[in-house]
Amino acid sequence: MMVASVDFQTLSDAIGLGAIYALMAVGIGLVFGVLRLVNFAYGQLVMAGAYTLAFTSGWPVAGSILACFAVVVALSLAMERAVFRPLRGQSPAVMLVTTFAIAFVLQAIALIVDLRDNTIGEIASSAAPLNRSVSVGGVDVRKITIVAIAVAVVTLALLALLLTRTTIGLHTRAAASDFRTARLLGVRANRVIGFAALLSGVLAATVSVLLTVQAPFVSPDFALRDTIVVLVGVVVGGIDRLWTATLGGFTIGFASGVINGALPTDKTVYLPSAVFALVILVLLLRPAGLFAWGRHAAAERV
Amino acid sequence: MAEPALELDRLEVRYGPVTVVRELSLRVERGEIVGLIGPNGAGKSTTLHAIMGLLPVAAGEIRVAGVSVAGRSPESIARAGVALVPEGRRIFGDFTVEENLRLGLAGRRSANGGDPLAAAYELFPMLREFRRRSAGALSGGQQQQLAIGRAIVADPDLLLLDEPSLGLAPTAVDGVFGAFGAIRERGVTILLVEQRAQRTVALADRTHVLVGGLERMTLGPADVDDTDKIIAAYLAS
Amino acid sequence: MRSRIDSLVELAGPVALVVVVGLVATTVSRANEIYALNALVSVAIVVAIYVFVGTSGVLSFGQISFVAVGAFAAGIMTVPLESKRGVLTEIFPLLRDHTIGNLPSYLLAAAVGGVFAFVVGLPLMRLSGLAAGIATLAVLEITHNVLREWTSIGPGATTLALVPETVGPLQATVGAIIAILVAFGYQRSRPGRLLRATREDPAAARGVGVDVHRQRLLAFTLSGALAGFAGGLLVHLLGSITTEQVYLELTFLTLAMLVVGGLTSLWGAVVGALAVSGLDSFLSQAEQGIHVGLKIDLPSGTRLVILGALMTVVLVLRPSGLTGGREFGLPTRMRR
């Protein structure tokens, strides 16, 4: 019986992946909180950011990253304004299919843009050196892993401060908890939703920077797989509250990283089945999410 | 004479295909406390929701201080000086008492100097004591006080209350009803929707009885002991 | 009796539309026939999905799993013995040494789809909302994974080819009509109406004692059987099948067809499938250059953009779908 081997490199890479997925989970959870909408096109935001980095890879690093943020945030706000706002209050099926249609459109546009020079995919890497390892206490850890974890921690901390210490943050949390009551107290619905879309975009841009360093080749389905995995993680963790969603994202990222690194390839063919069977099991036992508790765990969200 | 704080002119509100409020006309002058009582399903809550912009107006007019508010969003009506204390209190249980109060500031029109939460703490000293506690840990009566305090910090001209005594023990009800006098003294006009007919009739300057969406009768404090009259109003068809 | 005529009218609309498409398929050139046949098979798939999703209101991403097992079952069992022995060397002898006829293959497809759906549905039908969505997505992923890796039951990652292409205009039209009839029969039946009630007012339905789990399971199983049958149609149309053809892209395309047409009605399912299919075909042609009064010549790749963009616009402007979620009815009558 082969024993899976988990070395420190695998572990640290897994934590790094978990950190990135945690950021994506927050982006998805924020929009869900205020709009009750699962944004299937979230991965496309990350893709747009990656493409921006690719097209500006000749620029100085700071300028490139700034452009990335600008494009992604603009796209996120545009999505909110043009599509999410008119669809507020519709059935989950409609909102889901619409966000998927948007994802479809954006991916197809990327395909057209990309095909003009007869190759699919661009290289976006001015920060490739970060992919090399550095020795930490006698163990090899990739620099990008450290950067990813650091960026994630700082971002999440800033976000927590923003949500708990500012007025707009308070209003957003209230809107996510009970939109109707928040409105009748005077909370401006559009402002709060725009704020959530803004933050969601900033997070997506951050993720695209972190991902392109690790995998500099950008193609139209960049981050598509990741989005689905994060989505599963978010729902399994508990989409109702921001921190359970984040924890869910981190957990599934970490678990993916560990399993992928630990098991030899020939044993991993049925891995997806095992993982998804586990997902089903968790959802059957705790439909509101693994980490949900109290009144949230009791609710069967329809 | 100044415009009334609130005027409903043949208001009609529908809930899907059912007309819940019909031909309701009502005036509330500044500084008054007006009650609205009636059996379940009479349309009392619906009226408040329509005033607050939570439900669309099918016909008729709603004027706050002379200005029509029909068709405006709830948050813009809140910012126009109207505050609603909703049925069931609807406080944010995961937030602290202070955060709940701060949320009420969203409807405030101008930032006067000093602590904006002072008004709420003066009215209900308990709130200051518990301000860092989680709102979900408060008792029903305390939560009701919080809900009213939250509405007060918005410095409204018109305060709407939807069954504040619901689910409260009698002593808690005393605490809540006792605050209305103090609130009126601050210059706030009150429209009170209630199930407890007698307490409302005793307290309010005027109490309207709403049955089946129509206004049936107007009672004054003098009628508080006239139970026959009150019952007749409820049963009128 | 008015309601009887209303029922007939409700049924006649979708059936008539399908028959028209079938007739169109016989009149156009061979190259274009495939579009019409594709549209009809899409109708069968989308109607199958509608039977569950439209009636119960529970979003399922897993229905294509049943299309997949139906397609592979029908396909494997109808590939001629000689070819099967040569190509599918690793499959179980039971599968390798037998073939069945065309009609039995459809029955097999439906049976496999139905049984699979029943087994999956037993635990899953307790879930609602997002949990149900993710759980059924998980079923899709597991099905895809197993079909791709388990070479004892099928071709695995390779294409299953040499399946008899028996689906022409007749079989496609009949197949679509069968799906419509089954769906219509179900939604008019007592179980169908009970389930619809649970969607519209879950609390009230439970209050009068409707066993939600049981009704959902029934609809899910029926949907699975119908989807399996549609899978049979699919494999006999294409003459081949791969696991990627019955996976995420088809899942979203068919779900989008249903929502764009109108999630809550059979008419919506049929209209959505035909409209999106038709548009897709038109755009494919346009990418190659066509004359429709004026010459249209789209740059390649824009087809997908336009398709997605149009679907988005339809949903933003009319979230209840092209049919508004209503059944087909004559204009003079008042519909609910």
Side-chain angles (χ1 to χ4, degrees), chain B residues 27-28 36 45 78 91 99 119 124 134 148 155 158 227:
Chain B
R27 269 175 86 101
V28 183
L36 197 56
S45 282
I91 57 151
E99 281 180 315
F124 303 114
S134 161
I148 297 176
D155 204 11
L158 175 65
T227 42

Side-chain angles (χ1 to χ4, degrees), chain C residues 225-315:
Chain C
L226 218 49
F229 170 71
L233 285 172
L234 184 65
V235 78
H236 285 306
L237 170 67
L238 299 176
S240 65
I241 194 85
T242 68
T243 52
E244 303 314 288
Q245 285 173 316
V246 280
Y247 187 39
L248 284 171
E249 197 175 310
L250 187 63
T251 297
F252 285 115
L253 191 61
T254 47
L255 210 53
M257 286 175 178
L258 179 59
V259 174
V260 165
L263 184 59
T264 55
S265 71
L266 179 58
W267 181 228
V270 174
V271 165
L274 292 175
V276 176
S277 268
L279 185 62
D280 194 25
S281 311
F282 175 72
L283 291 171
S284 297
Q285 295 276 50
E287 267 184 356
Q288 292 153 29
I290 52 168
H291 282 277
V292 244
L294 28 111
K295 187 169 192 303
I296 301 182
D297 194 351
L298 295 178
S300 87
T302 49
R303 168 182 133 242
L304 299 174
V305 176
I306 296 179
L307 199 61
L310 275 176
M311 292 198 315
T312 308
V313 167
V314 166
L315 288 176

Side-chain angles (χ1 to χ4, degrees), chain A residues 173 178 183 185-186 189 295, chain B residues 75 79 90 92 94 99 107:
Chain A
R173 282 188 294 136
D178 186 347
R183 288 186 82 182
L185 291 175
R295 60 192 168 93
Chain B
E75 56 260 49
R79 284 162 190 272
R90 306 223 65 106
F92 293 86
D94 295 330
E99 281 180 315

Side-chain angles (χ1 to χ4, degrees), chain A residues 32 38 86-87 90 93-94 96-98 100-101 105 108-109 112 225 235 239 269-270 272-273 276-277 280 283-284 300-301, chain C residues 61 123-124 126-131 134 138 141-142 145 149-150 247 252 256 259 263 302 304-305 308-309 312 315 319:
Chain A
F32 180 81
V38 175
L87 282 185
Q90 289 302 325
V94 172
L96 203 106
V97 170
T98 312
F100 178 70
V105 170
I109 292 177
I112 297 175
R225 191 93 209 139
V235 174
I239 198 168
V269 282
Y270 286 114
S273 295
F276 283 109
I280 292 178
L283 286 174
L284 284 174
E300 187 201 44
R301 280 226 151 249
Chain C
F61 290 108
L124 253 53
R126 293 197 283 119
L127 300 173
S128 292
L130 270 177
I134 296 291
E141 294 281 352
I142 293 174
N145 190 212
E149 303 298 335
W150 199 7
Y247 187 39
F252 285 115
V259 174
L263 184 59
T302 49
L304 299 174
V305 176
T312 308
L315 288 176

Side-chain angles (χ1 to χ4, degrees), chain C:
Chain C
M1 291 196 297
R2 239 175 90 199
S3 74
R4 208 109 178 281
I5 297 180
D6 286 354
S7 314
L8 282 173
V9 168
E10 251 183 48
L11 181 60
V15 170
L17 198 54
V18 160
V19 168
V20 164
V21 176
L23 288 172
V24 166
T26 56
T27 58
V28 296
S29 66
R30 210 71 223 286
N32 291 332
E33 185 192 55
I34 186 77
Y35 292 124
L37 299 181
N38 225 319
L40 290 172
V41 173
S42 301
V43 168
I45 298 176
V46 175
V47 167
I49 297 175
Y50 159 77
V51 162
F52 177 69
V53 177
T55 321
S56 70
V58 176
L59 206 52
S60 164
F61 290 108
Q63 307 311 92
I64 297 298
S65 318
F66 312 128
V67 174
V69 298
F72 276 96
I76 290 170
M77 294 317 287
T78 51
V79 170
L81 277 176
E82 291 303 301
S83 333
K84 197 166 15 178
R85 290 208 180 101
V87 175
L88 300 173
T89 49
E90 294 177 45
I91 62 173
F92 291 126
L94 179 66
L95 301 173
R96 190 188 57 208
D97 300 333
H98 300 90
T99 51
I100 59 179
N102 189 230
L103 192 54
S105 78
Y106 285 122
L107 295 173
L108 177 68
V112 171
V115 168
F116 187 29
F118 182 76
V119 168
V120 163
L122 267 177
L124 253 53
M125 286 303 101
R126 293 197 283 119
L127 300 173
S128 292
L130 270 177
I134 296 291
T136 49
L137 180 67
V139 170
L140 181 72
E141 294 281 352
I142 293 174
T143 308
H144 175 257
N145 190 212
V146 169
L147 280 175
R148 230 178 136 70
E149 303 298 335
W150 199 7
T151 47
S152 306
I153 56 165
T158 63
T159 308
L160 176 71
L162 302 172
V163 177
E165 289 174 41
T166 61
V167 169
L170 182 64
Q171 270 201 4
T173 310
V174 170
I177 291 179
I178 290 176
I180 292 173
L181 285 174
V182 170
F184 185 74
Y186 171 70
Q187 76 182 20
R188 294 233 138 220
S189 72
R190 191 154 181 278
R193 283 184 290 185
L194 284 178
L195 187 61
R196 196 170 280 261
T198 68
R199 187 190 80 213
E200 268 140 32
D201 196 338
R206 278 202 185 89
V208 296
V210 177
D211 186 342
V212 179
H213 179 257
R214 185 194 223 165
Q215 293 306 333
R216 281 185 185 164
L217 184 58
L218 177 63
F220 197 68
T221 308
L222 186 62
S223 171
L226 218 49
F229 170 71
L233 285 172
L234 184 65
V235 78
H236 285 306
L237 170 67
L238 299 176
S240 65
I241 194 85
T242 68
T243 52
E244 303 314 288
Q245 285 173 316
V246 280
Y247 187 39
L248 284 171
E249 197 175 310
L250 187 63
T251 297
F252 285 115
L253 191 61
T254 47
L255 210 53
M257 286 175 178
L258 179 59
V259 174
V260 165
L263 184 59
T264 55
S265 71
L266 179 58
W267 181 228
V270 174
V271 165
L274 292 175
V276 176
S277 268
L279 185 62
D280 194 25
S281 311
F282 175 72
L283 291 171
S284 297
Q285 295 276 50
E287 267 184 356
Q288 292 153 29
I290 52 168
H291 282 277
V292 244
L294 28 111
K295 187 169 192 303
I296 301 182
D297 194 351
L298 295 178
S300 87
T302 49
R303 168 182 133 242
L304 299 174
V305 176
I306 296 179
L307 199 61
L310 275 176
M311 292 198 315
T312 308
V313 167
V314 166
L315 288 176
V316 167
L317 293 179
R318 201 174 152 85
S320 54
L322 292 171
T323 62
R326 288 193 295 267
E327 296 292 350
F328 180 77
L330 299 173
T332 50
R333 295 187 193 280
M334 278 276 287
R335 293 283 143 197
R336 187 183 81 76

